[in-house]
Amino acid sequence: PEQAKRTLAAALPSLGSLLEGTVKAGFDVGGAYLGFCSERAIVVNLAPLLRRWNEAGTPVELLLTLAHEAAHLLSEGGAHDSAWRQTYDELIQAAIVAGVGPAPGAFAGVGRRA
């Protein structure tokens, strides 16, 4: 999750200190979930990713997971409501526009500055 954290912080520098203090790596072998958010922490579960760790899409999946959980933290709600969706969309758009997110396949180069 460190690269995903750096990527999101580079896209939105104002989130850097928040992400630094709250994002933790977890390892729950029995859990199929990729992450969760509490009032004080975002935990990214690395266990489900181990089988596909070297696949091209894994860094993107980590970034999307971190953005998903950060949106929960920033929108101060547990639901996938309109406030959460707007926050999540803004986080993802910032990463794409900044051109710092890894983008395999059809999305390679999208949003990157020449």
Side-chain angles (χ1 to χ4, degrees):
E2 292 304 311
Q3 179 60 42
K5 185 168 54 173
R6 285 191 298 273
T7 298
L8 202 51
L12 292 163
S14 62
L15 291 181
S17 61
L18 175 72
L19 294 174
E20 190 59 40
T22 59
V23 178
K24 312 290 182 206
F27 194 84
D28 179 2
V29 176
Y33 63 93
L34 292 176
F36 68 88
C37 176
S38 72
E39 291 178 6
R40 291 181 280 192
I42 293 171
V43 177
V44 177
N45 183 18
L46 300 177
L49 297 171
L50 279 183
R51 288 181 303 235
R52 57 187 188 271
W53 192 257
N54 290 321
E55 292 180 13
T58 302
V60 173
E61 192 169 8
L62 282 167
L63 178 63
L64 293 173
T65 299
L66 180 57
H68 177 111
E69 301 306 336
H72 282 299
L73 188 66
L74 294 168
S75 65
E76 299 178 353
H80 295 113
D81 59 11
S82 60
W84 174 86
R85 171 58 71 186
Q86 180 177 348
T87 303
Y88 178 72
D89 288 349
E90 289 171 1
L91 292 172
I92 296 302
Q93 288 173 19
I96 292 170
V97 169
V100 295
F107 296 103
V110 171
R112 295 194 186 275
R113 295 184 185 117

